[in-house]
Amino acid sequence: MLSKFFPHIKEKPLSERVKSRDAFIYLDRVMWSFGWTEPENKRWILPYKLWLAFVNIVMLILLPISISIEYLHRFKTFSAGEFLSSLEIGVNMYGSSFKSAFTLIGFKKRQEAKVLLDQLDKRCLSDKERSTVHRYVAMGNFFDILYHIFYSTFVVMNFPYFLLERRHAWRMYFPYIDSDEQFYISSIAECFLMTAAIYMDLCTDVCPLISMLMARCHINLLKQRLRNLRSKPGRTEDEYLEELTECIRDHRLLLDYVDALRPVFSGTIFVQFLLIGTVLGLSMINLMFFSTFWTGVATCLFMFDVSMETFPFCYLCNMIIDDCQEMSNCLFQSDWTSADRRYKSTLVYFLHNLQQPITLTAGGVFPISMQTNLAMVKLAFSVVTVIKQFNLAERFQ
């Protein structure tokens, strides 16, 4: 059904030429709309840069400030549930601004990484290898559409309910607009800005996921090549050595690919790790003590979306660490015992490098893994425990 509207989420046949960079097709289109890429026609660079400046000043600076001003301007009109709903969105929005800035600054690094993907694609000659690339490209685009559905559902669930209740869903401050007298105008403006904000946040969350997904694609292809070393009889020792050398080049390209993306994702995930416990904690308090049925459903969706910002990426990083161990095992289990001295010495050097796992760190502090993600999430339960022990929820009701 979805493939009719989004054809790139379906695996393409081998008769069509597909590159690894095609996994970013839908993501790049959204980034282009925010001014985070470059125009194809160079004569549009100046208008595009002006659009970039306008959009990012409004979304990354003015929008978070508008929520903060609303606290100062009309704090007494907030109920406890409204305040927590607005606060959890506001905290996440400030974090999203920093994440978006890191992603925007890392544009050139991401372009360098795509060039390295093109070089890795040149090694995919067999139909089996090309089929693997096609499958992962379709998977990357599918994840992007899936995130769009998850994130958009949050807005769709919130906006109509609060509009019918004649209440503001996100409580933003607009100068020269009375939010009570001009309720529908301010509500529509809130919905438009929130939709743009979640799509910006989506770009910062999906970009690391798809990037490392394509890294895992080529890691799996390299594992298969390592298994097949010296498996074709009738070749000379020089040809076997050249085959091993090609695998070493592939591994070097993979390391360069991850190194190019490392500074981009380091800051993004670091900000998210700092926020996830606090945001989930505020959401859990709102859900347990102040939510109605409908707002509770919306809060659960928000918590799910916040969890999706780090969980899939951290899980993928764990899988890549395991894949690195499997790569060294594949090389060691290949048919190297009858090789000459040059081949064995090269293999030992390569094996040593393969045993160093490909890892990412958040801000150079936290290793990006499921263990770190779960440790940060536990902070949410600590926040709820403090609230319950001091009966703070009852005092706000």
Side-chain angles (χ1 to χ4, degrees), residues 104-260:
L104 175 60
I105 294 170
F107 170 72
K108 290 185 177 180
K109 288 291 185 180
R110 289 187 284 110
Q111 293 303 105
E112 291 176 11
K114 289 180 181 179
V115 172
L116 293 170
L117 280 180
D118 293 339
Q119 295 181 39
L120 286 166
D121 284 342
K122 293 178 181 178
R123 284 276 286 153
C124 302
L125 302 177
S126 68
D127 288 346
K128 185 177 181 181
E129 289 180 333
R130 291 178 57 214
S131 178
T132 300
V133 173
H134 287 210
R135 185 172 66 255
Y136 274 86
V137 166
M139 196 184 306
N141 285 307
F142 176 74
F143 282 152
D144 182 78
I145 298 303
L146 196 64
Y147 270 71
H148 271 85
I149 294 172
F150 289 153
Y151 284 29
S152 300
T153 303
F154 168 71
V155 176
V156 172
M157 292 291 291
N158 268 279
F159 181 67
Y161 169 76
F162 281 95
L163 195 66
L164 292 174
E165 290 283 318
R166 200 172 173 78
R167 293 159 53 197
H168 291 280
W170 299 288
R171 301 294 296 265
M172 299 176 187
Y173 172 77
F174 298 106
Y176 310 113
I177 295 179
D178 190 316
S179 58
D180 293 329
E181 294 183 2
Q182 298 170 300
F183 171 76
Y184 291 106
I185 294 176
S186 58
S187 294
I188 292 172
E190 281 185 1
C191 181
F192 176 79
L193 290 172
M194 181 56 65
T195 302
I198 66 169
Y199 285 158
M200 271 195 174
D201 199 36
L202 180 147
C203 291
T204 66
D205 299 332
V206 175
C207 183
L209 182 63
I210 298 179
S211 299
M212 295 309 292
L213 181 70
M214 296 315 300
R216 187 164 191 259
C217 167
H218 287 281
I219 287 174
N220 286 332
L221 292 174
L222 180 55
K223 285 195 297 185
Q224 188 59 44
R225 293 174 193 140
L226 294 174
R227 291 191 189 100
N228 295 334
L229 285 174
R230 299 181 65 85
S231 63
K232 298 177 182 179
R235 290 191 173 186
T236 64
E237 289 297 327
D238 289 339
E239 289 174 330
Y240 285 138
L241 181 61
E242 179 61 26
E243 191 177 20
L244 177 62
T245 305
E246 289 292 336
C247 290
I248 295 174
R249 292 195 187 102
D250 293 341
H251 184 249
R252 183 67 260 171
L253 284 174
L254 278 168
L255 295 180
D256 291 341
Y257 174 76
V258 175
D259 287 342

Side-chain angles (χ1 to χ4, degrees), residues 286-329:
N286 188 18
L287 180 66
M288 295 171 63
F289 301 109
F290 303 107
S291 291
T292 62
F293 172 76
W294 199 256
T295 58
V297 172
T299 301
C300 287
L301 283 171
F302 177 73
M303 293 173 65
F304 176 77
D305 290 343
V306 170
S307 300
M308 290 291 288
E309 292 180 354
T310 55
F311 173 78
F313 182 65
C314 290
Y315 182 73
L316 183 59
C317 287
N318 272 40
M319 296 178 71
I320 288 177
I321 292 173
D322 294 337
D323 288 335
C324 291
Q325 181 61 44
E326 290 182 21
M327 276 199 299
S328 61
N329 292 338

Side-chain angles (χ1 to χ4, degrees), residues 12-149:
K12 300 293 183 182
L14 294 177
S15 57
E16 295 188 29
R17 181 66 178 174
V18 174
K19 297 181 178 180
S20 294
R21 62 167 61 218
D22 292 338
F24 301 89
I25 285 178
Y26 294 131
L27 176 63
D28 285 343
R29 289 176 184 176
V30 180
M31 286 188 171
W32 177 86
S33 67
F34 291 130
W36 291 5
T37 60
E38 290 182 348
E40 294 182 2
N41 193 329
K42 297 300 182 182
R43 67 178 180 177
W44 295 105
I45 287 182
L46 180 58
Y48 191 74
K49 295 298 183 183
L50 293 174
W51 172 250
L52 164 68
F54 171 75
V55 169
N56 287 278
I57 288 173
V58 171
M59 299 304 302
L60 304 187
I61 300 175
L62 298 182
L63 184 58
I65 291 175
S66 73
I67 294 181
S68 301
I69 292 177
E70 183 69 7
Y71 298 147
L72 302 175
H73 188 62
R74 305 182 63 188
F75 183 77
K76 293 182 179 180
T77 65
F78 280 88
S79 66
E82 286 177 333
F83 177 71
L84 285 173
S85 296
S86 178
L87 185 60
E88 67 196 31
I89 293 291
V91 171
N92 197 62
M93 195 169 290
Y94 274 100
S96 179
S97 295
F98 283 101
K99 289 162 57 180
S100 298
F102 283 123
T103 304
L104 175 60
I105 294 170
F107 170 72
K108 290 185 177 180
K109 288 291 185 180
R110 289 187 284 110
Q111 293 303 105
E112 291 176 11
K114 289 180 181 179
V115 172
L116 293 170
L117 280 180
D118 293 339
Q119 295 181 39
L120 286 166
D121 284 342
K122 293 178 181 178
R123 284 276 286 153
C124 302
L125 302 177
S126 68
D127 288 346
K128 185 177 181 181
E129 289 180 333
R130 291 178 57 214
S131 178
T132 300
V133 173
H134 287 210
R135 185 172 66 255
Y136 274 86
V137 166
M139 196 184 306
N141 285 307
F142 176 74
F143 282 152
D144 182 78
I145 298 303
L146 196 64
Y147 270 71
H148 271 85
I149 294 172

